[in-house]
Amino acid sequence: MDRLLKILKLIRPNEDFLLSTDFIMNGQLDSFDILMLVTELEKTFSIKIESSDVTPENMLNLETIKLMLEKYGISDIAVNKTDKAIYLDSSSITSM
């Protein structure tokens, strides 16, 4: 989960993604942010996300992103609402 939160915080550093159930409806992610998220997920997890999986439904919240990643064999992401939010600068993403 830390890696996923770091990616989200890189894209939108001032947002609290832990308790949100709908990143899009809450205005936390827009279409450009989703494209950035997909790019960072692909780089971080060494996967290629199919365009058919780049949907608002798959990017709603931590749980839906986790489920989409599981389709690509990434299963080591636990969703724990008690995790602390991670605030970082853009250089921190490379240290994952």
Side-chain angles (χ1 to χ4, degrees):
M1 181 59 73
D2 285 349
R3 292 186 290 177
L4 180 53
L5 282 172
K6 284 181 182 180
I7 292 168
L8 289 166
K9 286 296 183 181
L10 174 68
I11 295 167
R12 290 283 185 112
N14 297 323
E15 296 293 336
D16 181 2
F17 293 100
L18 284 174
L19 299 178
S20 180
T21 58
D22 194 330
F23 298 156
I24 297 163
M25 288 296 291
N26 293 341
Q28 293 171 291
L29 294 179
D30 60 25
S31 57
F32 183 71
D33 296 329
I34 290 173
L35 292 176
M36 288 178 54
L37 175 60
V38 168
T39 300
E40 290 300 326
L41 290 172
E42 289 179 334
K43 283 195 269 184
T44 300
F45 296 108
S46 300
I47 58 174
K48 174 67 178 125
I49 297 173
E50 299 293 325
S51 60
S52 60
D53 286 326
V54 183
T55 64
E57 296 80 15
N58 285 340
M59 306 295 167
L60 285 179
N61 55 50
L62 295 172
E63 184 64 32
T64 60
I65 296 170
K66 174 187 167 284
L67 291 172
M68 191 251 325
L69 289 172
E70 285 177 355
K71 175 180 175 181
Y72 294 93
I74 309 301
S75 60
D76 63 341
I77 297 180
V79 175
N80 182 349
K81 298 289 186 184
T82 61
D83 287 345
K84 297 284 185 229
I86 299 168
Y87 296 91
L88 45 99
D89 63 343
S90 59
S91 64
S92 299
I93 197 81
T94 59
S95 65
M96 289 188 284

